Amino acid sequence: MEVTPLVWGLTIAAIGGLLLFDFVFHVRKAHVPTLREAAIWSGLYVGLALLFGVGVLVLGGAQAGSEYFAGYVTEKALSVDNLFVFLIIMTSFRVPREDQQKVLLFGIVFSLIARTGFIFLGAALINSFAWVFYLFGLILLITAGNMLKPEGEESHSADNVIIRLARKVFHTAPHYDGDKLFTVHGGKRAMTPMLLVMVAIGGTDVLFALDSIPAIFGLTQSTFIVFTATAFSLLGLRQLFFLIDGLLDRLIYLSYGLAAILGFIGVKLILHALHENTVPFINDGEPVPVVEISTGLSLSVILGVLVVTVSASLLSPAGRAQNAIANARRHAASYLDSEYTADPAERERIFRLLLTERDQIVALGPKYRQKVRDEPALIALLERARDSHDAAAARGEAAPTGAPKILDRDDGPATA
């Protein structure tokens, strides 16, 4: 697919314009987006990505169109998995809800810049060395294997080496000062946690690029398609975070699906490397006659795996329980954290969400109610949130709920 410099320039300008529009009209003024706002804008960005894909299909042909859609779907699925890590980082840093949009937009911009660099580096390596396909395939197979290992939130801790070094070298403030990156603390200029969380997000973006770029090069070698599919998968990621925020922990089988997809693309890359082989110690440097996987089959496999794993996650009682428990823990901690938000309406919204999670846990039956009771620290956290809300209601600062304990001893139905 031949792409003129004019088309490259217009595409980059359009993507930059969308990011600038996002900042000026949505992110510059700190606020918590409503579900309706997140749904509308998330749908709009997905629509733009699909419309662009139709343009590639019409102007570039069926092969180019299939490669774009396969790349876009793969990168979008990987970006959803990345959102879970972003959530952990922002929870670790206690980022105020109103300022999370700005952190996410920074992460998106940094990710696009980092991935663009990796894209052109990858394209240069592929054009110069055919053996790079072996390397990319091996990276994806190792990544797929690592995704199958059980891991908890600790494996994505925001307290990494870069953050610890920054805290030692630079004077850091313990509290946020709005969305400022620097403030005055103890009479000296200091970094705020806002800058630290952006460093943490940027660091993880680089690691994500090491996985996602080889994956999309396994589907297409067109630099333009790789760039645009990656860019459109990142656009709208901020809105998607707020749209599926409460469902992230429910996707318990998504990592298995992504592992299968990355493993599949890894095999596809190695087969392609064998087909184009020039490595002297493999078949005396001659191409190996192997079956190559078509782009159409790749797209079908990717979509099929995602449909199965996402559907299984949404229908699984274990997924619903894990999601409800994780959300209850986060909502209780957020409600008790006065720095998280000072907006009374937002605090009331958080508590209502906590009650909703409680009702879902109760509705799942004794097995999952007992799972909560087996975590005394979680129970204590939930009870403190309830007591704090009751005290606020007594002062007239919150609506009375008459809420019982998160789980009554008699396992009876929950009431609000």
Side-chain angles (χ1 to χ4, degrees), residues 150-162:
E151 56 183 20
E153 295 191 1
E154 294 79 9
S155 62
H156 301 298
S157 173
D159 190 22
N160 56 39
V161 175
I162 296 175

Side-chain angles (χ1 to χ4, degrees), residues 48-65:
L48 286 174
L50 296 179
L51 185 62
F52 184 87
V54 172
V56 172
L57 182 66
V58 171
L59 299 176
Q63 179 67 20

